[in-house]
Amino acid sequence: MRKDSVIANIADDLGLDNNQLSSRKLRIVSRSAEKYFYIKLDNGNLYIKDRIDRETLCGTEAICSLMFDAMVADPLNIFKITLDIQDINDNSPQFYHDKITLEIIEFTSPGSRFALQSAEDPDIGSNSVQTYKLSDNQYFTITENIRTDGSKYPELVLEKPLDRETQVNHQLILTALDGGNPIRSGTTLLKIIVIDGNDNAPIFTQDMYKVNLKENIPVNSTVIVVNATDNDEGINAQITYSFMKTSGNIHHIGIFSINPNTGEIKIHEHLDFEVTKNYELSVQAKDGGGLVAHCKVLVEVIDVNDNAPEISITSLSSPIPEDSAPGTMIALIEVHDQDSGDNADVDCQIFENVPFNLLSLNNYYKISLKSGIDREKSPFYNITIIATDRGSPPLSSTRFLTLDVSDVNDNPPIFSKSTYVAYVPENNLPGASIFSLQASDPDTGDNAKIIYSISSAITETPSMTSYLSINIETGVLYAQRSFDYEQNKEFIIEVTASDNGSPSLSSNVTLFIHIVDQNDNAPKILYPSPEIGGSAVFEMVPFVSEPGSLITKVVAVDADSGHNSWLSYHFISVSDQNHFVISEYTGEIRTSRIFQEKDTLNCKVVVMVKDNGHPTLSTTTTLSLIIADDFQQVIPKLSNKLKDVETQSNLQFYLVVGLALISLLFIITVMAAIISKCKQPKPLPTFSSLTTNLYPPIDPRTFSMYSDGSLPLPYSYNMCVALDPAEGDFTYMNPSGNVPVENLIDADNTEQAKESLREDFSKNDQVRICQVLLFLSGSIKT
């Protein structure tokens, strides 16, 4: 048939729907048939791909067929298809030799027969050689004889005695005709030489010899010994053996050799059952007189198990998703053994312990998933397939498959810890990285690409995003602004790590961010209050104070914590170092010795409060300590000092100061008279009994606050003297009954005394005192 000719509609024959041929992937699976046939998926027809030569495929076998498999998927099915190759008369009969020489003794009797070489026709049946025809002559005719295997061969029949003297040579045309339509023929030249003598031709003991050989027979082994006899004597009885025909694939003279004297046939090359299963040898025996005889030697090759099974991969799905369901088909393999019989029966198995099954389908095996697989545990599988035949001894072959497992997003990102703790110093640079969170994802590709985000803030801090940000790719946490330990000591946030799979998986982790305190706050003095406006604070110190008496206490706090908030108190400027001492750790100011008359009235000290941080921060405050038993002692001395200081001032200013002093003395005199009438004077209480309760939060306008600790009175009281005369008042505390009013200091007198105590001897303080005296003078005149 011509190329692209339609053989049949294979889809109809197999009962397949033409519309599903493409989706089910109908195809031919065969080692030999694929180059001769192909299928069109749009109509299901089977076509000729290449010319088929029956003689090449099957030689002289009477039945010639091609077997192949048709395979469809979804679901998988395999069909066995056999195509019978019918012979056509496409080969002409052919003689191997173009000329045949035959020697006939002249006294050969008419009717004698001479066997001739038969013609070969690869076709079979009626298309093979059917008859022989001889060109016209008066001495010879041709007849046909049949061997035991059914093949025909020509015999030359002598019809009339020969006369060598009349004609030595006879040249005839021998024609072989087949039975095809149209008839084909082949010719050869038959040359007959008339000779004298030798009237007996050699005779073989058998006209056909048969022998079976195993394909692994050693080279140079004897196959068979043919034997022919001749009744003549002498040279006419000497027989020489030779092969007659060597054409085609029937005779393989290169494989076999014959001893011309003994007729012993030996093998020269290795036999292969898978290449040629039988051989036909034509042997000629020729005597010395030129007479010949012919026989056939049929050699059948017996298969031995010399071929291991061959494993070929028909289809393979790799990689496979790790979430593939059990039963999913992974691969289809074909196992073929070129041997025959039990030598070709093959058993196949998987060597490793892998989650796959191997199911047999005739000569095919299907590999399917036996159980679930996990790419994170095994990203690939090495599958070893072993095929073993049933020969003796058995042969086996191995095929290795590598099956990759593709990733599915089945693992969320994982943090190494459930919580993280970070310590960040305050006053950090904005934008600095403060911590790095790392999550791992055993998946691959986008499924392992992690995105970080701050999902929530557990700390109740408004606008957490203004404090912290996170790099979505690296997980590095950044500070958006500088932290202040005094405002936020801790942040608790929840960070989410999400992968880029579909659907996305995520996990959370809690991060505790502790702000580490830095020494960034100087000590703050609570007492004396810093809100007085820069003026020195006055404290009265009784002249009769004993050494070690508590005068006052400097109270300070530090907003920092830990070592940074440990405070110490020191004098850095004091008019007389021997009068007072300050406790380094409590800030208490006490007297250091008994005062003398020569001691200065006013002692100005500067107290420095410093913390224990690095670097050290400090704050200072100034106190004026007035040494006197009562306020009356203070005023004259202050006035004298004012006079000394103002000596160089103009006359008008002195007049104003004098008038103010006179008015002050008048007021003091009036107050003293009133007090003396109300009550006899009692000795002034000592101030050594002042307790440490001197420094609760106070009004910034108050000089000092005295609290009962061990006063000799049967009661206690707090006295507050205001700077503003309109705001002067007393706060009474009566834990044991009514307090006698006569024990209280007159408010007006106290106002004047306390105003006087606020003075320092700087020029600015002197001006303030003068302004107070002028105010008082104006009040007296009024």
Side-chain angles (χ1 to χ4, degrees):
M1 298 180 70
R2 294 182 179 179
K3 185 178 179 181
D4 297 326
S5 297
V6 178
I7 299 174
N9 190 295
I10 195 171
D12 292 341
D13 295 339
L14 298 179
L16 301 176
D17 188 355
N18 290 339
N19 296 327
Q20 297 180 357
L21 297 181
S22 178
S23 62
R24 296 191 65 184
K25 300 178 182 178
L26 174 64
R27 59 184 177 134
I28 293 175
V29 180
S30 173
R31 293 175 174 271
S32 58
E34 289 178 346
K35 66 179 181 179
Y36 296 113
F37 309 107
Y38 69 95
I39 298 174
K40 281 191 176 180
L41 298 180
D42 55 351
N43 55 22
N45 288 335
L46 183 66
Y47 292 85
I48 296 292
K49 181 187 291 186
D50 196 5
R51 180 179 179 273
I52 302 174
D53 189 354
R54 190 201 67 84
E55 288 72 26
T56 302
L57 292 175
C58 304
T60 60
E61 294 179 6
I63 299 175
C64 183
S65 60
L66 278 177
M67 299 180 65
F68 62 91
D69 298 329
M71 184 173 68
V72 293
D74 300 325
L76 176 66
N77 204 348
I78 300 172
F79 303 92
K80 294 287 185 180
I81 298 176
T82 302
L83 286 180
D84 291 332
I85 309 301
Q86 296 180 355
D87 182 50
I88 62 172
N89 191 25
D90 58 342
N91 293 282
S92 300
Q94 183 179 2
F95 292 92
Y96 187 75
H97 297 287
D98 296 331
K99 182 173 69 173
I100 299 174
T101 301
L102 185 64
E103 296 178 352
I104 302 176
I105 300 175
E106 60 178 347
F107 51 80
T108 301
S109 301
S112 298
R113 295 174 176 268
F114 304 93
L116 301 177
Q117 176 185 355
S118 60
E120 295 178 4
D121 192 340
D123 297 326
I124 61 172
S126 61
N127 293 327
S128 64
V129 177
Q130 298 295 320
T131 60
Y132 292 88
K133 186 173 65 173
L134 191 64
S135 60
D136 294 337
N137 67 91
Q138 57 179 337
Y139 293 99
F140 302 95
T141 60
I142 196 73
T143 186
E144 299 155 6
N145 204 353
I146 299 177
R147 296 188 180 95
T148 56
D149 63 347
S151 61
K152 294 180 179 181
Y153 64 94
E155 285 187 341
L156 187 66
V157 180
L158 181 61
E159 295 291 337
K160 182 180 178 180
L162 297 175
D163 188 1
R164 180 180 175 278
E165 287 72 21
T166 304
Q167 186 175 353
V168 178
N169 296 320
H170 298 270
Q171 291 188 352
L172 305 173
I173 300 299
L174 178 62
T175 302
L177 302 171
D178 62 20
N181 186 16
I183 296 174
R184 293 177 177 268
S185 62
T187 62
T188 185
L189 177 63
L190 180 59
K191 183 178 181 180
I192 301 171
I193 300 174
V194 181
I195 61 175
D196 290 330
N198 195 22
D199 56 348
N200 291 291
I203 300 174
F204 281 98
T205 56
Q206 299 179 37
D207 63 349
M208 182 177 291
Y209 296 87
K210 290 185 178 179
V211 62
N212 296 327
L213 299 177
K214 289 186 177 181
E215 61 176 324
N216 60 350
I217 184 173
V219 176
N220 293 325
S221 298
T222 299
V223 176
I224 194 173
V225 177
V226 296
N227 185 34
T229 61
D230 196 315
N231 294 327
D232 293 327
E233 293 180 354
I235 192 172
N236 292 327
Q238 293 180 359
I239 299 175
T240 302
Y241 300 92
S242 63
F243 289 122
M244 282 296 297
K245 297 186 291 184
T246 58
S247 64
N249 59 0
I250 299 177
H251 304 282
H252 299 269
I253 303 305
I255 297 177
F256 302 95
S257 66
I258 187 169
N259 190 311
N261 298 318
T262 63
E264 181 184 18
I265 299 176
K266 289 187 175 183
I267 185 168
H268 272 187
E269 297 180 4
H270 290 288
L271 301 179
D272 191 348
F273 173 83
E274 289 70 40
V275 176
T276 306
K277 296 178 176 59
N278 52 67
Y279 298 90
E280 180 180 320
L281 305 177
S282 225
V283 181
Q284 173 182 281
K286 182 178 181 181
D287 62 20
L291 298 179
V292 296
H294 300 90
C295 73
K296 277 189 178 182
V297 179
L298 299 180
V299 180
E300 184 176 354
V301 182
I302 300 175
D303 182 47
V304 295
N305 192 29
D306 60 343
N307 290 282
E310 298 177 6
I311 303 173
S312 60
I313 308 301
T314 302
S315 65
L316 174 64
S317 298
S318 179
I320 60 170
E322 61 178 322
D323 61 349
S324 299
T328 302
M329 191 179 85
I330 306 302
L332 183 67
I333 64 174
E334 180 190 4
V335 180
H336 176 74
D337 196 315
Q338 296 183 26
D339 297 321
S340 62
D342 290 341
N343 297 331
D345 293 338
V346 179
D347 297 318
C348 198
Q349 62 180 350
I350 295 177
F351 181 73
E352 297 91 357
N353 183 19
V354 292
F356 301 102
N357 287 323
L358 189 64
L359 304 177
S360 175
L361 297 172
N362 295 326
N363 292 333
Y364 294 89
Y365 288 86
K366 180 176 75 171
I367 300 177
S368 61
L369 190 62
K370 178 170 62 175
S371 59
I373 54 179
D374 189 351
R375 189 206 65 82
E376 287 69 44
K377 293 181 179 179
S378 181
F380 63 89
Y381 290 93
N382 289 322
I383 303 174
T384 304
I385 302 172
I386 299 178
T388 306
D389 61 27
R390 298 180 183 177
S392 180
L395 299 178
S396 63
S397 60
T398 303
R399 183 69 182 265
F400 298 98
L401 294 180
T402 298
L403 181 64
D404 295 323
V405 181
S406 61
D407 185 50
V408 174
N409 191 29
D410 56 350
N411 291 280
I414 299 174
F415 290 95
S416 59
K417 300 179 181 179
S418 59
T419 59
Y420 290 87
V421 179
Y423 294 90
V424 181
E426 66 172 331
N427 304 318
N428 56 292
L429 292 176
S433 62
I434 61 175
F435 199 72
S436 177
L437 291 169
Q438 291 294 326
S440 61
D441 195 320
D443 295 324
T444 59
D446 288 340
N447 296 331
K449 185 178 181 181
I450 299 176
I451 298 175
Y452 300 90
S453 62
I454 300 177
S455 57
S456 63
I458 301 176
T459 306
E460 295 182 358
T461 301
S463 62
M464 178 62 70
T465 56
S466 65
Y467 285 88
L468 300 169
S469 66
I470 192 168
N471 188 307
I472 63 174
E473 294 182 354
T474 63
V476 177
L477 201 66
Y478 295 92
Q480 295 291 91
R481 60 170 70 177
S482 293
F483 295 126
D484 189 351
Y485 174 84
E486 289 69 41
Q487 292 184 3
N488 302 101
K489 294 180 174 58
E490 182 183 57
F491 295 96
I492 304 176
I493 63 173
E494 192 171 77
V495 177
T496 299
S498 304
D499 59 30
N500 205 29
S502 179
S504 178
L505 301 178
S506 63
S507 61
N508 299 326
V509 69
T510 301
L511 174 62
F512 294 87
I513 302 176
H514 298 288
I515 308 303
V516 179
D517 182 49
Q518 301 290 312
N519 192 30
D520 59 343
N521 289 281
K524 180 180 180 181
I525 297 177
L526 300 180
Y527 183 84
S529 174
E531 298 181 6
I532 295 178
S535 300
V537 178
F538 294 92
E539 291 289 346
M540 283 286 295
V541 180
F543 187 80
V544 295
S545 297
E546 296 294 329
S549 298
L550 177 65
I551 305 304
T552 187
K553 181 176 181 177
V554 178
V555 180
V557 295
D558 196 313
D560 296 323
S561 64
H563 289 273
N564 297 328
S565 64
W566 292 2
L567 303 179
S568 60
Y569 302 83
H570 308 274
F571 283 144
I572 60 173
S573 176
V574 60
S575 59
D576 191 342
Q577 293 291 344
N578 296 325
H579 288 172
F580 307 98
V581 293
I582 188 168
S583 174
E584 182 179 0
Y585 301 107
T586 64
E588 295 178 347
I589 300 177
R590 298 179 181 271
T591 58
S592 62
R593 61 182 178 82
I594 298 176
F595 297 114
Q596 304 294 328
E597 289 293 337
K598 62 180 180 178
D599 292 333
T600 59
L601 176 66
N602 189 339
C603 181
K604 182 178 181 182
V605 296
V606 178
V607 178
M608 178 182 70
V609 183
K610 65 178 181 178
D611 57 28
N612 198 39
H614 183 78
T616 301
L617 301 179
S618 62
T619 304
T620 62
T621 184
T622 302
L623 293 89
S624 290
L625 302 179
I626 307 301
I627 303 173
D629 286 335
D630 54 30
F631 295 115
Q632 289 84 349
Q633 297 177 357
V634 177
I635 300 303
K637 294 181 179 181
L638 291 176
S639 300
N640 291 334
K641 287 191 175 184
L642 284 174
K643 290 181 181 180
D644 294 337
V645 173
E646 297 296 334
T647 303
Q648 302 301 326
S649 301
N650 56 58
L651 180 61
Q652 184 179 1
F653 181 74
Y654 277 115
L655 292 176
V656 173
V657 173
L659 181 60
L661 290 175
I662 293 172
S663 300
L664 179 60
L665 291 176
F666 175 79
I667 293 172
I668 292 174
T669 303
V670 174
M671 289 178 62
I674 295 173
I675 293 173
S676 62
K677 290 180 180 181
C678 293
K679 187 179 180 180
Q680 292 297 325
K682 292 185 178 181
L684 290 174
T686 62
F687 288 87
S688 61
S689 61
L690 293 177
T691 67
T692 58
N693 295 326
L694 298 173
Y695 32 82
I698 60 173
D699 191 305
R701 296 167 297 175
T702 304
F703 286 92
S704 62
M705 182 170 64
Y706 300 90
S707 176
D708 176 40
S710 59
L711 293 177
L713 298 176
Y715 50 82
S716 63
Y717 61 89
N718 287 340
M719 180 181 71
C720 298
V721 181
L723 296 179
D724 188 353
E727 297 181 0
D729 58 8
F730 292 89
T731 300
Y732 296 92
M733 300 178 64
N734 188 11
S736 59
N738 296 327
V739 180
V741 178
E742 55 269 19
N743 286 302
L744 300 178
I745 301 175
D746 182 79
D748 291 338
N749 189 31
T750 303
E751 179 91 12
Q752 298 169 10
K754 293 299 273 182
E755 275 305 325
S756 301
L757 291 176
R758 292 294 303 276
E759 132 154 50
D760 193 359
F761 292 110
S762 64
K763 183 176 181 179
N764 292 335
D765 292 336
Q766 295 170 10
V767 173
R768 292 193 189 97
I769 294 175
C770 292
Q771 290 174 348
V772 172
L773 293 176
L774 288 173
F775 174 78
L776 293 175
S777 176
S779 300
I780 294 172
K781 291 179 180 180
T782 303

